[in-house]
Short mmCIF file of all heavy atoms in Angstrom, two decimals:
data_model
loop_
_atom_site.label_atom_id
_atom_site.label_comp_id
_atom_site.label_asym_id
_atom_site.label_seq_id
_atom_site.Cartn_x
_atom_site.Cartn_y
_atom_site.Cartn_z
N GLY T 1521 50.53 39.27 88.82
CA GLY T 1521 50.98 38.04 88.17
C GLY T 1521 51.00 36.87 89.13
O GLY T 1521 50.66 35.74 88.78
N ALA T 1522 51.41 37.14 90.37
CA ALA T 1522 51.45 36.08 91.38
C ALA T 1522 50.05 35.59 91.72
O ALA T 1522 49.86 34.42 92.04
CB ALA T 1522 52.17 36.58 92.63
N VAL T 1523 49.08 36.45 91.65
CA VAL T 1523 47.69 36.06 91.90
C VAL T 1523 47.14 35.31 90.69
O VAL T 1523 46.39 34.34 90.83
CB VAL T 1523 46.83 37.30 92.23
CG1 VAL T 1523 45.35 36.97 92.24
CG2 VAL T 1523 47.25 37.91 93.55
N GLY T 1524 47.52 35.75 89.51
CA GLY T 1524 47.02 35.15 88.28
C GLY T 1524 47.43 33.70 88.09
O GLY T 1524 46.66 32.89 87.55
N ALA T 1525 48.64 33.36 88.50
CA ALA T 1525 49.13 31.99 88.29
C ALA T 1525 48.27 30.95 89.01
O ALA T 1525 47.85 29.97 88.39
CB ALA T 1525 50.60 31.89 88.70
N PRO T 1526 47.99 31.12 90.30
CA PRO T 1526 47.11 30.13 90.96
C PRO T 1526 45.69 30.13 90.39
O PRO T 1526 45.05 29.08 90.32
CB PRO T 1526 47.09 30.57 92.43
CG PRO T 1526 48.29 31.41 92.60
CD PRO T 1526 48.56 32.04 91.28
N LEU T 1527 45.21 31.30 89.95
CA LEU T 1527 43.88 31.34 89.33
C LEU T 1527 43.86 30.52 88.05
O LEU T 1527 42.85 29.89 87.72
CB LEU T 1527 43.46 32.78 89.06
CG LEU T 1527 43.15 33.63 90.29
CD1 LEU T 1527 42.83 35.06 89.89
CD2 LEU T 1527 42.01 33.03 91.10
N ASN T 1528 44.96 30.52 87.34
CA ASN T 1528 45.09 29.71 86.13
C ASN T 1528 44.93 28.23 86.47
O ASN T 1528 44.25 27.50 85.75
CB ASN T 1528 46.46 29.98 85.50
CG ASN T 1528 46.68 29.23 84.21
OD1 ASN T 1528 46.10 28.20 83.96
ND2 ASN T 1528 47.58 29.75 83.41
N ILE T 1529 45.54 27.80 87.55
CA ILE T 1529 45.44 26.40 87.98
C ILE T 1529 44.00 26.05 88.32
O ILE T 1529 43.48 25.03 87.87
CB ILE T 1529 46.37 26.14 89.20
CG1 ILE T 1529 47.84 26.28 88.79
CG2 ILE T 1529 46.09 24.76 89.79
CD1 ILE T 1529 48.80 26.30 89.95
N VAL T 1530 43.34 26.91 89.08
CA VAL T 1530 41.96 26.64 89.49
C VAL T 1530 41.04 26.63 88.26
O VAL T 1530 40.17 25.77 88.14
CB VAL T 1530 41.49 27.70 90.52
CG1 VAL T 1530 40.01 27.57 90.80
CG2 VAL T 1530 42.30 27.57 91.79
N ALA T 1531 41.24 27.58 87.36
CA ALA T 1531 40.40 27.66 86.17
C ALA T 1531 40.55 26.43 85.29
O ALA T 1531 39.58 25.98 84.66
CB ALA T 1531 40.74 28.91 85.37
N ASN T 1532 41.75 25.87 85.23
CA ASN T 1532 41.98 24.69 84.41
C ASN T 1532 41.27 23.47 84.99
O ASN T 1532 40.72 22.66 84.26
CB ASN T 1532 43.49 24.42 84.28
CG ASN T 1532 43.80 23.34 83.29
OD1 ASN T 1532 43.25 22.26 83.34
ND2 ASN T 1532 44.70 23.64 82.38
N GLY T 1533 41.29 23.34 86.30
CA GLY T 1533 40.59 22.24 86.96
C GLY T 1533 41.31 20.91 86.93
O GLY T 1533 40.80 19.92 87.42
N GLN T 1534 42.50 20.86 86.33
CA GLN T 1534 43.28 19.63 86.31
C GLN T 1534 44.53 19.85 87.15
O GLN T 1534 45.12 20.93 87.10
CB GLN T 1534 43.68 19.26 84.89
CG GLN T 1534 42.51 18.92 84.00
CD GLN T 1534 42.95 18.58 82.59
OE1 GLN T 1534 44.12 18.61 82.27
NE2 GLN T 1534 42.00 18.27 81.75
N TYR T 1535 44.92 18.83 87.89
CA TYR T 1535 46.04 19.00 88.81
C TYR T 1535 47.13 17.98 88.53
O TYR T 1535 47.62 17.31 89.43
CB TYR T 1535 45.53 18.92 90.25
CG TYR T 1535 44.44 19.94 90.48
CD1 TYR T 1535 43.10 19.58 90.49
CD2 TYR T 1535 44.75 21.28 90.64
CE1 TYR T 1535 42.10 20.52 90.67
CE2 TYR T 1535 43.76 22.23 90.82
CZ TYR T 1535 42.43 21.85 90.84
OH TYR T 1535 41.47 22.80 91.01
N VAL T 1539 50.21 20.22 84.01
CA VAL T 1539 49.37 21.41 84.13
C VAL T 1539 49.89 22.34 85.23
O VAL T 1539 49.84 23.57 85.09
CB VAL T 1539 47.90 21.01 84.43
CG1 VAL T 1539 47.06 22.21 84.78
CG2 VAL T 1539 47.32 20.26 83.24
N LEU T 1540 50.42 21.79 86.29
CA LEU T 1540 50.84 22.59 87.44
C LEU T 1540 52.22 23.23 87.30
O LEU T 1540 52.47 24.29 87.87
CB LEU T 1540 50.83 21.73 88.71
CG LEU T 1540 49.48 21.24 89.18
CD1 LEU T 1540 49.65 20.27 90.35
CD2 LEU T 1540 48.59 22.39 89.57
N PHE T 1542 54.21 24.95 85.10
CA PHE T 1542 54.49 26.33 84.70
C PHE T 1542 53.84 27.37 85.61
O PHE T 1542 54.50 28.30 86.07
CB PHE T 1542 54.11 26.59 83.24
CG PHE T 1542 54.73 27.85 82.71
CD1 PHE T 1542 56.05 27.86 82.26
CD2 PHE T 1542 54.02 29.03 82.68
CE1 PHE T 1542 56.64 29.03 81.80
CE2 PHE T 1542 54.60 30.19 82.22
CZ PHE T 1542 55.91 30.20 81.77
N PRO T 1543 52.55 27.25 85.95
CA PRO T 1543 51.96 28.24 86.85
C PRO T 1543 52.59 28.27 88.24
O PRO T 1543 52.76 29.34 88.83
CB PRO T 1543 50.48 27.89 86.92
CG PRO T 1543 50.23 26.86 85.91
CD PRO T 1543 51.53 26.34 85.42
N VAL T 1544 52.97 27.10 88.76
CA VAL T 1544 53.63 27.08 90.08
C VAL T 1544 55.00 27.74 89.99
O VAL T 1544 55.36 28.56 90.84
CB VAL T 1544 53.72 25.63 90.63
CG1 VAL T 1544 54.64 25.58 91.84
CG2 VAL T 1544 52.34 25.11 90.97
N LEU T 1546 55.87 29.99 87.86
CA LEU T 1546 55.64 31.41 87.65
C LEU T 1546 55.30 32.11 88.95
O LEU T 1546 55.84 33.20 89.24
CB LEU T 1546 54.50 31.57 86.64
CG LEU T 1546 54.39 32.89 85.91
CD1 LEU T 1546 55.67 33.25 85.19
CD2 LEU T 1546 53.23 32.84 84.93
#
Side-chain angles (χ1 to χ4, degrees):
V1523 169
L1527 290 176
N1528 182 335
I1529 294 169
V1530 172
N1532 188 309
Q1534 295 179 359
Y1535 304 101
V1539 171
L1540 294 173
F1542 196 81
V1544 168
L1546 200 55

